[in-house]
């Protein structure tokens, strides 16, 4: 009689988290691909009604949600600022 391989069922993220909490090695569950995802922190920003309209229009032009539009529009000047700082350093 032929031996058949048992299919390995994927381990849930909760099960891996429990093993990690117990201090066990969980490296075997990862292939070393990808990177760490930064934690997300919620913030509140007060804007005027006209600014909100502009944000909505910009998000619509980008074909993204308001939240994605805000992230995109904030990311661009932060990247420019970072590049400017790096160019000033010797």
């Amino acid at each position: 009689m032929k031996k058949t391989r048992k299919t390995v069922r994927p381990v849930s993220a909760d099960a891996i988290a429990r093993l990690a909490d117990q201090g066990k090695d969980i490296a075997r569950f990862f292939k070393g691909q990808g990177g760490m995802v930064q934690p997300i922190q919620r913030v509140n920003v007060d804007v005027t009604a006209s600014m909100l309209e502009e944000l909505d229009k910009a998000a619509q032009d980008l074909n993204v949600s308001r939240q994605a539009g805000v992230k995109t529009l904030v990311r661009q000047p932060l990247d420019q600022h970072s590049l400017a700082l790096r160019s000033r350093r010797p």
Side-chain angles (χ1 to χ4, degrees):
M1 185 183 266
K2 254 185 171 178
K3 288 188 177 183
T4 58
R5 265 186 139 170
K6 290 185 179 181
T7 56
V8 178
R9 295 174 63 190
V11 179
S12 73
D14 289 334
I16 295 171
R18 279 192 297 274
L19 290 171
D21 289 341
Q22 295 168 3
K24 297 191 178 168
D25 183 19
I26 58 169
R28 68 181 186 271
F29 298 108
F30 302 97
K31 296 179 181 176
Q33 299 171 342
M36 289 293 295
V37 176
Q38 295 292 324
I40 295 174
Q41 189 169 356
R42 182 176 297 270
V43 297
N44 294 320
V45 178
D46 296 330
V47 296
T48 63
S50 62
M51 188 173 180
L52 187 59
E53 288 175 17
E54 285 185 68
L55 283 168
D56 286 340
K57 176 72 172 105
Q60 185 178 17
D61 291 344
L62 293 168
N63 197 29
V64 296
S65 67
R66 177 190 289 167
Q67 182 176 4
V70 169
K71 290 178 184 180
T72 301
L73 295 170
V74 168
R75 179 78 261 162
Q76 290 172 346
L78 289 174
D79 288 343
Q80 290 174 349
H81 180 69
S82 178
L83 286 171
L85 288 177
R86 276 192 240 148
S87 69
R88 289 186 214 160
R89 293 183 186 151

